Amino acid sequence: MVIYDSVAKEKRRFVPQHGNDVTLYVCGPTVYDDAHLGHAKSALVFDLLSRVLRANGYHVTYARNITDIDDKIIHKAKERHVSIGEITTTYIEAYHHDMAALGIARPNLEPRATESIEAMIIMIEQLLANNHAYAIENGDIYFDTSSDHRYLTLSGQLQDADARRQRVESSHLKRHQSDFALWKAVHDESIAFEAPFGRGRPGWHLECSAMIEKHLARDGAYAIDIHGGGADLLFPHHENEAAQTRCATNHELAAYWMHNGFVTIEGEKMSKSLGNSFFIKDALKVYQGEVLRFYLLSTHYRANFNFNETDLLASKKRLDKLYRLKKRLFGLKAIAMVTPFQTQLLDALNDDLNVSKALALIDEMIVLSNEKLDINAKDKVAKKEALANIETIATLLGFGTNNPFNYFQHGIDTATRQTVEALIAQRNDAKRAKDFATSDALRDTILALGISLMDTPEGTFWERND
RNA sequence: GGCGCCAUCGCCAAGUGGUAAGGCCGGAGCCUGCAAAGCUUCUAUCCCCAGUUCAAAUCUGGGUGGCGCCUCCA
């Protein structure tokens, strides 16, 4: 397997530190609002990565954190006059629901910040003991970036202090502009945690380093094999995580760093300030989760992704073809077998998750299978192979996992369904009577309901139009 | 201002030194009572300029144009 390491800025052959075991940590969401398409992209990319790693025979421990204590959460709880727990429970459930709809498997571990306070306290104490952190008058504890000789080598920022001063809000109490809070002292009645160095709340960057130490880290040069997240996290979040870990422990944080590109809408990054966030739950009202999965995964993970409906529908048509083939194979049991296609598919994905190449292989496989079945509809070998190939696609990429008939009739309500089926029965009567004028008129009626008909030797099937 | 990414057919998108994958859309055909689906077939020399090389979309330099990070952020 080859992975693009966004710190080395080149593709590197992937070699785990500990034999067959792979540790993967990905920065998850802060649960103060619904998940948007950007969250989906990140979760999808690393879901795919974990699938591909496993397909290569690795034993993967995949952790994705949940930040459930944060100023934005507290703010929202106050705004709604509810507890923080109610906010986080609501959005954690929503997150899980949305991710499941996209066919994203749950990571092995989903550590929460509030359950990792002890680990964070331990790390702060290590940093204080090593003189990598200091407390200021009000009780806040900062990481001393000047004490880390490798600071900024991860992101390659290396900017001078004057440049940063322009942008960063100055805190006269910090020793250096780039120093960041490990612990924010709390003196009032608002939510806080007890710590030897005073009541307070953890800084954001700390939790990932602490959780990694607590749940994944093993002896060696690096705490874990792969650390992932959105491209916006490289600096300062991952830079700071890396600094904390190397200064508190005797190892670097991750052997490989992977960052996924952004989902943009109309060419602009989604953000609160622009008001252009596109929530997964809203997209799911219109499109099937699997179509969204296919679309969001169809562009290489490192490239920026400009979401638009035209491209989404083009992706849907591409996925449709996989399901049309599955429809032709309906009722047959898949038999485990090895085909050249499967090897090629894994090879493509092993090249830094080259999904475009994988999709091209899938298209070619579909055409070839259809061709064989057009020549001989009872070609058993072709059917067996095609089924096995579809199984592999489902396992590796999560595409084609549904019942093909349900897929094409997605979102049709019972009333419409009954109407359509009654009209089809009428039309079949007309067809039997060779009354093609009536039968064509009925098809137009059905078409007006958004339904396409397909006459086949096995009967008339219907599909929803998009 | 600093750091970084990107620019391939109408649209989406691989390929990163050896002579342009795939999909969508569109044209033609086969099949079909007519359709749909499926199949066959047709459509690019890679933003511009200069350089390196036997050979460049692919490397180097310079332009132009997008985008991201530097502040919470997937």
Side-chain angles (χ1 to χ4, degrees):
Chain A
M1 229 184 141
V2 172
I3 284 174
Y4 182 88
D5 179 351
S6 44
V7 170
K9 290 188 170 55
E10 62 183 13
K11 283 187 188 178
R12 295 172 55 208
R13 204 162 82 79
F14 178 65
V15 182
Q17 297 181 91
H18 302 283
N20 222 32
D21 290 337
V22 174
T23 42
L24 168 65
Y25 180 93
V26 175
C27 290
T30 301
V31 284
Y32 70 103
D33 204 350
D34 284 302
H36 60 215
L37 295 174
H39 294 108
K41 176 77 182 181
S42 174
L44 281 165
V45 166
F46 294 104
D47 177 63
L48 175 62
L49 178 68
S50 66
R51 287 166 185 257
V52 173
L53 285 166
R54 288 184 176 123
N56 279 286
Y58 293 121
H59 177 261
V60 180
T61 306
Y62 172 19
R64 184 182 61 207
N65 71 305
I66 293 174
T67 303
D68 62 352
I69 180 66
D70 158 280
D71 289 348
K72 292 187 291 292
I73 296 170
I74 293 169
H75 181 74
K76 193 140 198 167
K78 277 185 185 160
E79 200 176 86
R80 295 194 180 174
H81 306 291
V82 298
S83 71
I84 287 169
E86 284 178 70
I87 296 292
T88 57
T89 303
T90 300
Y91 289 115
I92 288 171
E93 280 175 10
Y95 183 79
H96 284 151
H97 171 270
D98 291 345
M99 294 305 138
L102 297 174
I104 297 168
R106 288 278 278 272
N108 303 90
L109 299 165
E110 289 186 279
R112 299 183 188 187
T114 54
E115 294 167 356
S116 311
I117 301 294
E118 193 59 42
M120 294 194 239
I121 289 171
I122 291 168
M123 186 162 271
I124 290 174
E125 292 192 309
Q126 287 169 325
L127 291 168
L128 284 168
N130 296 341
N131 286 318
H132 287 296
Y134 58 91
I136 62 172
E137 288 169 31
N138 70 0
D140 286 359
I141 297 175
Y142 280 91
F143 181 87
D144 182 352
T145 51
S146 73
S147 75
D148 175 17
H149 297 302
R150 300 195 63 186
Y151 193 65
L152 297 184
T153 55
L154 187 84
S155 62
Q157 288 291 304
L158 299 175
Q159 52 196 276
D160 61 76
D162 289 338
R164 286 183 59 77
R165 202 160 291 135
Q166 305 284 323
R167 296 290 305 258
V168 180
E169 193 181 321
S170 176
S171 165
H172 299 296
L173 301 169
K174 285 198 287 186
R175 289 183 192 164
H176 314 284
Q177 288 301 322
S178 53
D179 291 355
F180 55 90
L182 296 167
W183 193 256
K184 292 182 264 188
V186 172
H187 303 294
D188 58 23
E189 293 309 303
S190 59
I191 185 161
F193 303 89
E194 297 299 333
F197 32 78
R199 274 181 92 233
R201 292 195 295 267
W204 174 49
H205 308 301
L206 184 63
E207 67 178 70
C208 297
S209 294
M211 289 170 178
I212 285 170
E213 289 307 312
K214 178 180 172 183
H215 296 286
L216 299 177
R218 292 170 67 174
D219 291 338
Y222 300 93
I224 55 170
D225 291 304
I226 306 171
H227 189 129
D232 54 341
L233 298 179
L234 179 56
F235 186 85
H237 186 54
H238 290 163
E239 185 73 60
N240 292 348
E241 282 182 32
Q244 290 162 169
T245 296
R246 85 167 60 91
C247 291
T249 72
N250 56 3
H251 50 210
E252 287 289 316
L253 187 49
Y256 298 81
W257 291 81
M258 293 176 77
H259 291 92
N260 63 275
F262 284 105
V263 180
T264 59
I265 307 271
E266 307 293 336
E268 293 282 340
K269 181 183 173 180
M270 278 184 283
S271 78
K272 285 275 167 188
S273 53
L274 287 169
N276 64 345
S277 293
F278 196 156
F279 295 113
I280 298 168
K281 68 171 184 183
D282 293 326
L284 286 172
K285 288 173 189 163
V286 191
Y287 311 105
Q288 304 191 59
E290 193 174 349
V291 171
L292 285 170
R293 178 187 180 92
F294 190 99
Y295 176 48
L296 287 169
L297 233 27
S298 65
T299 293
H300 188 82
Y301 76 92
R302 278 188 279 122
N304 283 161
F305 187 95
N306 189 29
F307 188 94
N308 70 81
E309 203 160 334
T310 308
D311 296 342
L312 186 150
L313 289 175
S315 273
K316 183 189 177 297
K317 290 190 174 183
R318 206 171 184 179
L319 180 59
D320 284 353
K321 296 199 300 184
L322 179 64
Y323 272 106
R324 291 239 158 73
L325 177 60
K326 196 170 177 183
K327 224 171 166 181
R328 295 183 82 160
L329 307 167
F330 192 72
L332 295 171
K333 271 257 186 277
I335 301 162
M337 61 184 292
V338 179
T339 68
F341 166 80
Q342 293 164 339
T343 309
Q344 291 173 338
L345 189 70
L346 186 57
D347 284 349
L349 293 171
N350 277 343
D351 181 11
D352 194 36
L353 305 180
N354 191 336
V355 176
S356 293
K357 200 169 171 183
L359 293 184
L361 288 166
I362 291 172
D363 286 324
E364 285 165 14
M365 185 279 289
I366 292 170
V367 168
L368 189 69
S369 300
N370 277 324
E371 201 178 357
K372 285 180 180 169
L373 294 175
D374 278 356
I375 292 167
N376 176 9
K378 291 178 179 173
D379 189 334
K380 280 195 176 152
V381 175
K383 284 186 173 181
K384 266 167 51 185
E385 280 192 23
L387 265 175
N389 290 340
I390 289 174
E391 285 288 304
T392 300
I393 293 164
T395 304
L396 274 175
L397 289 151
F399 305 149
T401 55
N402 291 314
N403 172 301
F405 292 94
N406 294 344
Y407 171 83
F408 286 111
Q409 297 177 355
H410 169 260
I412 302 293
D413 60 73
T414 314
T416 308
R417 184 178 298 274
Q418 285 168 351
T419 307
V420 168
E421 280 164 7
L423 289 168
I424 288 172
Q426 282 181 43
R427 177 168 169 277
N428 283 339
D429 289 342
K431 275 180 67 182
R432 267 191 292 276
K434 303 249 188 256
D435 180 0
F436 296 122
T438 302
S439 112
D440 288 351
L442 282 165
R443 180 170 49 211
D444 289 343
T445 306
I446 294 167
L447 199 59
L449 296 171
I451 304 295
S452 289
L453 296 184
M454 322 174 84
D455 292 327
T456 76
E458 288 77 38
T460 301
F461 296 109
W462 61 274
E463 293 183 358
R464 167 189 175 155
N465 283 332
D466 286 288

